[in-house]
């Protein structure tokens, strides 16, 4: 039998917790926030419906004392051998003993809140846990230890979540990025990473971030969105959703264009659901976010340089390597530079149905951005040749936008027709028109058909036996517009 845990400072020793497997009491550990790799993350707690009262300095002071006493008592290496629920129970028992011995005056609800906070600090992501558990939050933006903002319903609001200090925040950032084999510290202060559910994480630490580490998390919903759900949310009409299904099914080369936070990755995930199960798909991303449902998917991710500045694998390296892996479709999570040239070459040399996203505010600007990215790569091609490559590779541009009321809409479905002289010719199949706003400030608009009854990819649709469904969708769109 192991002796009871060492007493917290200025207090008699707490009673030993009942044994439940491996003993968790031993030598002090410097900081449990650096031991993420040793402990399996616990199940996320369900979001509470009621709003918690604002926390006071007294609460944080009490928590700091209890936390210090816990660290002097517990051995995380032994704790790591327990499953998440058993580990939580061990921590709760010890914390309850510490609270009793130190005689802290706390209500039952305050004690439960403190217990949950400390469990999250040791086993999870600390104060971030309740925000990560909420499925209605799209973004979490931490600006140093004392300020956290969240995006809910397309609007940014301040949360009452805060960290003990910048050291705790940096430790949690290090814990997150270490899970994907990356690091963030003073020598490497910028890092992109992801959470186990695919949520995208960006960290920028001091000395670049003056007021403390800045952590940004683009959360993914637990239930992945589908085109049918986008219809219910008003992002597109039912007829427009059928049009997008057909575009994905008949292997059109698609570029999804939009600004930051417009839903490009979500839309790309929706389109990939309509890829046939027997196709070999290879994805290339800076941070792996896409979650394809097909059985034959190869996921690739870029690698930043190490601390010596070596070992970098760029997006262009991945896209070029894809061509040697017998892909049927290549999907690039986000095109940001010269790799657009390799993607266009893949689209134009037998890898029909390839897709990618790009930052642009309109379909026409999307084409200009691709041309600029190729020029940045130093290929030295004449402008007309570059435009011919673009027009011969891209079939459809789907434009997504986040409107000023916070709503997200698919504003254009645009075909790339070809060249007329030195100009790339496009035609809209559908677009979104804003008609006004209601008393609550929500924009009122509708998706309208442009009257195109036989799009440029009609022959491709007929090859896949989808021409009747395409004709029906376009006819229904025109009737709704009329």
């Amino acid at each position: 039998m192991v002796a009871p845990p060492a007493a917290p400072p200025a207090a008699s020793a707490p009673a030993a917790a009942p044994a439940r497997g491996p003993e968790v009491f031993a030598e002090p550990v410097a900081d449990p926030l650096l031991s993420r790799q040793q402990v399996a993350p616990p199940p996320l707690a369900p979001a509470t419906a009621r709003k918690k009262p604002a926390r006071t300095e007294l609460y944080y002071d009490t928590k700091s004392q209890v936390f210090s006493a816990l660290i002097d008592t517990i051995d995380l290496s032994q704790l790591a051998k327990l499953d998440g629920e058993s580990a939580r129970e061990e921590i709760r028992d010890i914390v309850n003993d510490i609270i009793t011995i130190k005689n802290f005056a706390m209500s039952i609800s305050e004690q439960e809140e403190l217990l949950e906070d400390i469990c999250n600090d040791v086993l999870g992501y600390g104060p971030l846990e309740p925000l990560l558990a909420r499925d209605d939050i799209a973004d979490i933006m931490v600006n140093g230890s004392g300020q956290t903002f969240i995006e809910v319903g397309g609007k940014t609001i301040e949360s009452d979540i805060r960290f003990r200090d910048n050291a705790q925040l940096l430790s949690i950032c290090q814990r997150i990025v270490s899970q994907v084999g990356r690091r963030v510290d003073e020598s490497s202060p910028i890092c992109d990473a992801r959470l186990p559910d695919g949520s995208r994480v960006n960290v920028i630490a001091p000395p670049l971030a003056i007021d403390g580490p800045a952590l940004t998390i683009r959360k993914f919903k637990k239930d992945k969105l589908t085109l049918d759900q986008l219809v219910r949310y008003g992002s597109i009409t039912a007829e427009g959703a059928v049009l997008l299904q057909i575009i994905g099914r008949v292997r059109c080369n698609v570029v999804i264009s939009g600004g930051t936070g417009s839903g490009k990755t979500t839309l790309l995930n929706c389109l990939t659901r309509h890829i046939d199960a027997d196709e070999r798909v290879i994805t290339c991303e800076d941070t792996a976010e896409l979650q394809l449902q097909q059985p034959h998917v190869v996921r690739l991710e870029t690698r930043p340089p190490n601390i010596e500045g070596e070992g970098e694998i760029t997006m262009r390296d991945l896209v070029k390597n894809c061509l040697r892996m017998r892909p049927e479709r290549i999907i690039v999570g986000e095109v940001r530079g010269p790799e657009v040239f390799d993607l266009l070459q893949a689209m134009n040399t037998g890898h029909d149905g390839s897709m990618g996203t790009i930052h642009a505010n309109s379909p026409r600007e999307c084409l200009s951005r691709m041309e600029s990215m190729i020029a940045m790569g130093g290929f030295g091609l004449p402008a007309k040749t570059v435009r011919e490559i673009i027009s011969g590779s891209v079939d459809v541009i789907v434009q997504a936008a986040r409107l000023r009321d916070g709503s997200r809409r698919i504003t254009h479905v645009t075909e790339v027709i070809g060249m007329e002289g030195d100009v790339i010719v496009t035609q809209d199949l559908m677009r979104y028109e804003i008609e006004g706003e209601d008393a609550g400030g929500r924009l009122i608009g509708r998706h309208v058909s442009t009257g195109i009854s036989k799009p440029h990819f009609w022959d491709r649709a007929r090859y896949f036996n989808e021409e009747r469904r395409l004709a029906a969708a376009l006819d229904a769109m025109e009737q709704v517009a009329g």
Side-chain angles (χ1 to χ4, degrees), residues 373-401:
M373 289 174 183
I374 292 174
M376 286 191 302
F379 295 100
L381 298 173
K384 184 175 182 180
T385 302
V386 171
R387 291 169 190 161
E388 286 173 346
I389 292 173
I390 294 172
S391 65
S393 304
V394 179
D395 296 314
V396 176
I397 299 172
V398 181
Q399 182 71 36

Side-chain angles (χ1 to χ4, degrees), residues 51-52 54 60 131 134 137 139-152 154-163:
K51 182 177 176 62
K52 294 181 180 178
Y60 286 103
L131 300 181
R134 288 177 53 182
I137 295 178
D139 289 272
I140 301 171
M141 295 153 279
V142 183
N143 307 331
S145 60
Q147 192 177 53
T148 301
F149 289 86
I150 57 176
E151 182 193 310
V152 180
K155 295 293 185 181
T156 300
I157 59 176
E158 187 168 2
S159 165
D160 62 354
I161 293 296
R162 52 175 283 190
F163 295 79

Side-chain angles (χ1 to χ4, degrees), residues 404-405 432-439 441-446:
R404 60 182 171 85
D405 64 351
Y432 183 75
E433 294 182 351
I434 298 174
E435 299 174 334
E437 63 180 78
D438 61 19
R442 301 287 291 182
L443 293 176
I444 301 172
R446 63 187 185 122

Side-chain angles (χ1 to χ4, degrees), residues 254-256 264-265 268-269 272 281-287 289-290 292 298 300 302 314-316 318-320 322 329-344 346-347 353-358 373:
V254 180
V255 174
I256 297 174
K264 298 186 297 298
T265 303
L268 184 55
N269 266 322
T272 58
V281 183
I282 301 179
T283 67
C284 304
E285 301 174 83
D286 282 322
T287 303
E289 300 174 85
L290 296 174
L292 277 64
V298 179
L300 306 179
T302 61
T314 66
M315 182 69 77
R316 190 166 183 213
L318 293 185
V319 175
K320 288 171 69 175
C322 278
R329 298 203 197 209
I330 297 174
I331 297 178
V332 179
E334 188 167 340
V335 177
R336 297 180 181 176
E339 68 271 7
V340 69
F341 183 77
D342 299 288
L343 178 62
L344 293 173
M347 289 177 169
S354 295
M355 302 179 185
T357 69
I358 192 169
M373 289 174 183

Side-chain angles (χ1 to χ4, degrees), residues 288-334:
E289 300 174 85
L290 296 174
Q291 297 181 333
L292 277 64
Q293 307 301 313
Q294 287 70 22
H296 198 167
V297 176
V298 179
R299 303 170 71 207
L300 306 179
E301 188 177 61
T302 61
R303 185 177 70 186
N306 59 22
I307 195 169
E308 289 82 21
E310 300 175 349
E312 181 180 17
I313 304 297
T314 66
M315 182 69 77
R316 190 166 183 213
D317 295 329
L318 293 185
V319 175
K320 288 171 69 175
N321 190 74
C322 278
L323 304 178
R324 306 184 185 101
M325 297 175 65
R326 198 202 165 275
E328 290 178 290
R329 298 203 197 209
I330 297 174
I331 297 178
V332 179
E334 188 167 340

Side-chain angles (χ1 to χ4, degrees), residues 74-135:
I74 203 166
D75 179 5
L76 291 185
S77 64
Q78 293 297 318
L79 191 72
K81 298 177 182 178
L82 301 177
D83 62 80
E85 193 56 40
S86 298
R88 279 184 171 254
E89 286 301 317
E90 291 287 359
I91 292 172
R92 291 173 70 90
D93 287 342
I94 301 172
V95 170
N96 276 323
D97 289 341
I98 293 171
I99 291 173
T100 301
I101 290 173
K102 282 185 169 286
N103 199 25
F104 289 119
M106 304 180 73
S107 67
I108 294 177
S109 62
E110 289 173 334
Q111 188 166 334
E112 281 298 315
E113 187 175 353
L114 180 66
L115 285 168
E116 189 63 28
D117 274 2
I118 290 179
C119 285
N120 289 339
D121 280 349
V122 177
L123 301 175
Y125 297 118
L128 292 176
E129 287 285 357
L131 300 181
L132 294 172
R134 288 177 53 182
D135 208 31

Side-chain angles (χ1 to χ4, degrees), residues 250 454 457-467 470:
V250 304
K454 195 170 183 180
F457 63 88
W458 179 268
D459 290 339
R460 186 187 293 271
R462 185 168 57 189
Y463 176 75
F464 283 88
N465 199 28
E466 291 280 5
E467 76 274 15
L470 176 59

Side-chain angles (χ1 to χ4, degrees), residues 227 241 244-245 248-249 269-276 279 294 329:
L227 285 175
L244 292 180
Q245 290 176 17
R249 165 83 176 81
N269 266 322
C270 290
L271 286 181
T272 58
R273 295 176 69 93
H274 302 282
I275 295 175
D276 289 344
E279 294 185 42
Q294 287 70 22
R329 298 203 197 209

